[in-house]
Amino acid sequence: MAKKSAKNHIISSQDNNTISLKITPVDEFMKPIFDDFLGLDNNGIVAAILSKIGAENVAKIWQKQRDRKNINKDDLIVALFTAKAKLEEFISEVYRDKISPLVLYIVSTGVLPDEMNAKAMTVEELTQKYPHLQFSKDEQEGTFFIIGDSIISVYATRECYSKKDGVAIEK
């Protein structure tokens, strides 16, 4: 039912065709982080992340903000930008030092390194263990490994590329 405000000429109505919200495991994983970040919960996740990336000074300013202590807004903004930069740096280091070498090893050999003990799984086996996962067409033909809390997928993809034909030059 629509309501109209004569003063502001604003019309509002209740939408009966609301989209149902589906909560995924990623949402469940992220919820405590956002709750801590937004101050809805004080579970220490944000402080632990800031400590891990070497931003303890940012954690102190963050805690003052959470405790509703009077802090300079410019200091808070600088702290948030500092945290963002440190997170990006940490992510780049992890990618460069851990993920890239592992990907290169798996792509070049087709297997995991010897020190990584994991049983190869098909998409069907992985779906039985994690029914909420969705797979691309290429992934459905792949092999999967569970290492700790991570899933490593190995699959072929078809990539299109252009190739220049050689040109002979006479002198």
Side-chain angles (χ1 to χ4, degrees):
M1 176 173 192
K3 295 180 184 179
K4 185 173 182 180
S5 167
K7 182 178 179 182
N8 297 325
H9 304 290
I10 298 173
I11 298 175
S12 65
S13 66
Q14 183 177 4
D15 186 5
N16 293 331
N17 298 326
T18 58
I19 298 172
S20 62
L21 184 65
K22 183 178 179 185
I23 304 297
T24 68
V26 173
D27 297 321
E28 292 171 3
F29 172 78
M30 295 300 296
K31 184 183 182 311
I33 298 170
F34 285 122
D35 285 351
D36 193 33
F37 182 78
L38 296 171
L40 302 173
D41 194 2
N42 191 2
N43 55 34
I45 294 175
V46 172
I49 292 170
L50 292 172
S51 177
K52 185 168 188 158
I53 65 171
E56 290 85 2
N57 57 336
V58 175
K60 290 176 186 174
I61 293 172
W62 180 251
Q63 191 58 48
K64 285 181 184 177
Q65 170 69 14
R66 291 193 56 139
D67 295 341
R68 310 269 191 247
K69 293 184 179 170
N70 194 11
I71 63 167
N72 183 328
K73 289 187 186 212
D74 291 336
D75 290 344
L76 180 60
I77 292 169
V78 169
L80 290 172
F81 276 104
T82 300
K84 179 181 182 276
K86 288 195 174 269
L87 275 168
E88 288 172 347
E89 180 183 331
F90 182 80
I91 290 167
S92 292
E93 287 174 10
V94 168
Y95 188 81
R96 181 187 65 234
D97 298 342
K98 298 192 179 192
I99 295 173
S100 289
L102 180 60
V103 168
L104 179 62
Y105 184 90
I106 293 170
V107 167
S108 61
T109 65
V111 297
L112 292 177
D114 291 337
E115 60 271 7
M116 296 183 116
N117 296 323
K119 177 185 169 256
M121 302 173 76
T122 64
V123 71
E124 291 81 15
E125 292 169 318
L126 193 62
T127 301
Q128 286 177 354
K129 189 165 185 162
Y130 301 103
H132 59 275
L133 293 179
Q134 297 176 351
F135 302 93
S136 70
K137 184 178 178 183
D138 292 330
E139 288 174 319
Q140 291 175 6
E141 302 297 321
T143 304
F144 301 88
F145 303 92
I146 298 177
I147 308 289
D149 292 337
S150 301
I151 298 172
I152 296 176
S153 59
V154 180
Y155 57 92
T157 60
R158 172 171 274 165
E159 298 292 335
C160 298
Y161 64 95
S162 60
K163 178 179 160 186
K164 269 191 174 178
D165 291 333
V167 177
I169 300 176
E170 288 187 35
K171 287 188 178 187

